[in-house]
Amino acid sequence: MNFQKKKLGLCVMLASFAGVVLPAEAATKLENIKVDNSLASQTRIEFQFDGPVGGYQDRLQYDPEQLVLNLSDAESALLKNEFKVKSKSVKNVNVKQSGGDLNVAVDLESLVPYEVSQQGNSLYVTLGQDPRATAAKQGYADPSVLKSKKTVAAGINRINGINFKKGAAGEGLVLVSLDNKNAALELIPKGTHLLAKFHGSAVDPNLLAVMDVNDYGTVLKNIDVSEGADGAVLDIALQTAEFEAKHVQNGEAIVITVAKKKPVVKVTDAPRYLGKNLSLSFQDIPVRNALKILAEEVKINLVMNDSVSGNITVNFDNVPWDQALDTILRVKGLDKRVDGNILLIGQQEELSSYEQKQLEEQEKKSAKEPLVTEFIQINYAKASDIVKLLKTNDGANSIAAEQGGNNYGQGGGNGAEASDSLLSVRGTATVDERTNTLIIKDTEASIANVKRLIEKLDTPIQQVMVEARIVAVDDSVSEDLGVHWNLASNNIIQSGHEDGKWSGQIATKTQNSNAEDNGGLISIGRLGKNFELGLTLAALESENRTETIASPRVTTTNQKEAKIEQGYQIPSLTAASSGATTVEWTDAVLSLTVTPQITPDDSIFLDLEITNDTLGNTVTTVTGSAISINKRKVTTSVLVGNGETLVLGGIFQQEIKRIKNQIPFLGDIPVVGWLFKTVSNSNTRREVLVFITPHIIEGAVGR
């Protein structure tokens, strides 16, 4: 009787709520996970959904080392929720449902930089990216060194690296790498500064500087790294005195988080539950009755298994009905499934077992479906490469959701597990290389999945033209000035000068001067009976400037290496231990070797090797004369914008020589000393600059 009164009173209380609340729209489903290890220093994970993701949050966990993604209004449609990844930085990917949200945990080998981006129905996670490339993609400049300091102390620990990153919520993250785990960190706020004291710790001398991080748009302006008698100090200058700071240590890594202090206000975030608000009060009634009353109030169809039992006491005041439902289910260890406008409630184990039986029935049904043969023309890719994706166990690279009730199994003896291949257990795939055609024999649903894969992969590849310019400038200036004296025996008396008088003439004898070969000599002599005394004036100034420009260029497809070279092969003789000689050919070439990678923002990451070898002078070796090679080479990896020109580097050499020959004592006499000495000055400069300009060829890809 009392229960009937309570129920009647509850109905009167709920009668004021008008309208019908229907279940929310179906959640976005995670259908596929792909891992790309082809990048040089990155691992890229693609999460494919059946529609755009409503929202996500990402965060790093330091114990264990994980990258956690929280996807709102999403659920998993994968055949398995955990798989191992064969990657240099990722160990596992785990997917777990949490109410209406989906949590994805990426287990990491170690903490690495990461970036999360969304494109269409896919969510991309890039791990281990070069910090310079990350900063360029986000539009920020690299921290620059403003001034240097000297180290003054050492300690029981040592700071080996300091990096900076902007967090997802705009906070500043200072990442400090240590030698060992013995770290004593103290954070001391001082006005608009935060002092991070590492007691008993030294600093790598290369890190003793000021890092300018103002361009990152966080509360931090710069980080002054210094070292005192009791340890290292990071003086962090801030935009405001209202800030919050904390640190987390994981082994040898410490992350200092600094953010603006948030005012204490009532939470106004959008609620996770959007159902109609209800006020309910039950005192120790059967949970089946409570769920039935709740379903009647929101006008939804309800089905409960016999396993739903027990009593419950609740008191909800103005709570969304879907939140009230989830709370009741969580307390009683129940779970729900939504099929259209029907709500099914039962024990978690029961519902999981039911779904597993459904999968098994679908597998049996798939095994009885007739096989059909399909000829698929491949236009841009190689059919042999496509068939490798289908016939190889790609469990480490992809987890595909089951589509249309099909079982994805091994095909043609590929040895893959049934959940790892796009082909069914009975499916086969072969290639006609002459026509580049893929021949698939499988069920219609499996062939449809293969066609979707080919539609994504069989696309034109972007092409890049890379042009390098190598400018070499040789500039030399030489000066010769002085007097040469020469005394020689001569038994021949010159005609017309038997009396030994002085005579003047153009020099007919050579002297040891660089000026002689260029006509810079005047010789005066006196002829005696048996001797000749010669006076030679040397004066020469010469200037030589040579400028060489080499411009190799090459066009290649994205992520494919290209090489172009031109030059000589120089022979050289090599003596063997047996006494025989062999000829070895050495390359002296102008070459450009490049591997481009186009980023999503149309920048280009280049792996480069540029050489510009030229023929040198002839040198003498143990086997005879040989020609030397002047080597010029640069090897680097850079990020360049499309059409931009970047200076890769340069070499500047300068040689200054001053050679003085004189008669001792006489050459040091002021003014008159120039009659007894010769001075030769030379100044040689050599400069080499290397420029690179990449261009994405428009029209090579349907964009």
Side-chain angles (χ1 to χ4, degrees), residues 362-602:
Q362 291 173 353
E363 291 175 0
K364 293 178 181 179
K365 181 180 178 181
S366 176
K368 298 178 182 179
E369 290 185 14
L371 300 180
V372 296
T373 302
E374 186 84 17
F375 299 88
I376 304 176
Q377 178 69 49
I378 307 299
N379 298 318
Y380 301 101
K382 291 183 179 180
S384 56
D385 293 339
I386 298 293
V387 81
K388 287 178 183 178
L389 297 176
L390 305 177
K391 284 193 172 184
T392 303
N393 183 357
D394 58 351
N397 296 323
S398 174
I399 298 178
E402 194 169 30
Q403 302 288 341
N406 282 287
N407 169 43
Y408 302 143
Q410 73 182 53
N414 57 4
E417 296 296 332
S419 61
D420 290 337
S421 175
L422 288 178
L423 299 176
S424 67
V425 178
R426 300 178 295 156
T428 60
T430 56
V431 172
D432 179 17
E433 295 184 355
R434 184 178 63 86
T435 59
N436 201 39
T437 300
L438 188 63
I439 305 172
I440 304 292
K441 185 177 182 181
D442 208 335
T443 61
E444 291 184 354
S446 294
I447 291 177
N449 291 331
V450 173
K451 287 183 176 180
R452 283 200 298 271
L453 172 68
I454 293 174
E455 184 180 354
K456 290 288 186 181
L457 300 182
D458 188 26
T459 57
I461 301 177
Q462 289 180 288
Q463 299 184 41
V464 180
M465 184 186 74
V466 181
E467 178 181 3
R469 288 181 178 270
I470 307 168
V471 181
V473 179
D474 292 332
D475 193 356
S476 63
V477 177
S478 62
E479 294 179 351
D480 286 304
L481 181 63
V483 175
H484 294 274
W485 290 94
N486 182 42
L487 179 62
S489 175
N490 189 354
N491 292 325
I492 301 176
I493 299 176
Q494 186 173 354
S495 175
H497 297 276
E498 293 84 352
D499 55 354
K501 294 182 180 180
W502 289 91
S503 64
Q505 61 179 0
I506 299 299
T508 57
K509 293 184 177 289
T510 59
Q511 308 292 335
N512 294 327
S513 172
N514 293 332
E516 299 174 12
D517 296 333
N518 299 279
L521 297 177
I522 298 177
S523 180
I524 302 174
R526 181 173 185 265
L527 181 64
K529 183 175 182 181
N530 294 316
F531 297 96
E532 177 185 317
L533 181 62
L535 171 65
T536 303
L537 301 179
L540 171 67
E541 180 176 346
S542 65
E543 182 175 350
N544 181 23
R545 180 180 178 87
T546 304
E547 183 172 335
T548 305
I549 300 178
S551 181
R553 66 181 66 185
V554 66
T555 302
T556 183
T557 56
N558 187 29
Q559 298 186 10
K560 290 294 184 180
E561 181 182 290
K563 182 175 183 179
I564 185 172
E565 65 179 17
Q566 179 216 355
Y568 308 91
Q569 280 195 323
I570 301 174
S572 60
L573 296 178
T574 303
S577 58
S578 61
T581 58
T582 58
V583 178
E584 292 187 357
W585 295 87
T586 305
D587 290 336
V589 297
L590 167 67
S591 69
L592 168 64
T593 303
V594 60
T595 302
Q597 177 189 328
I598 302 175
T599 63
D601 61 352
D602 278 348

Side-chain angles (χ1 to χ4, degrees), residues 274-344:
L274 304 177
K276 176 183 176 181
N277 288 357
L278 299 177
S279 296
L280 303 174
S281 180
F282 301 134
Q283 182 67 35
D284 194 26
I285 68 170
V287 66
R288 299 177 67 89
N289 293 343
L291 293 174
K292 183 178 179 182
I293 294 173
L294 182 61
E296 289 175 350
E297 293 302 324
V298 296
K299 303 296 188 295
I300 60 173
N301 300 312
L302 178 65
V303 177
M304 290 183 286
N305 288 349
D306 294 336
S307 59
V308 179
S309 60
N311 292 354
I312 191 171
T313 298
V314 299
N315 185 15
F316 294 129
D317 184 15
N318 201 30
V319 176
W321 75 266
D322 45 355
Q323 183 178 7
L325 174 63
D326 285 348
T327 303
I328 295 173
L329 298 180
R330 185 164 53 251
V331 169
K332 303 303 294 184
L334 303 174
D335 204 353
K336 70 178 186 297
R337 298 291 185 270
V338 178
D339 184 7
N341 62 345
I342 298 177
L343 181 64
L344 174 63

Side-chain angles (χ1 to χ4, degrees), residues 25-31 47-56 69-77 95-104 123 272:
E25 295 183 359
T28 306
K29 293 183 179 180
L30 175 61
E31 295 183 330
F47 298 91
Q48 297 179 346
F49 297 83
D50 63 351
V53 179
Y56 67 88
L69 302 175
N70 179 262
L71 310 170
S72 58
D73 296 329
E75 62 184 24
S76 173
V95 180
K96 184 178 180 181
Q97 195 72 38
S98 176
D101 294 349
L102 187 66
N103 290 329
V104 179
L123 197 66
R272 291 173 49 193

Side-chain angles (χ1 to χ4, degrees), residues 40-53:
S41 59
Q42 301 170 272
T43 298
R44 195 180 196 194
I45 307 175
E46 179 184 1
F47 298 91
Q48 297 179 346
F49 297 83
D50 63 351
V53 179

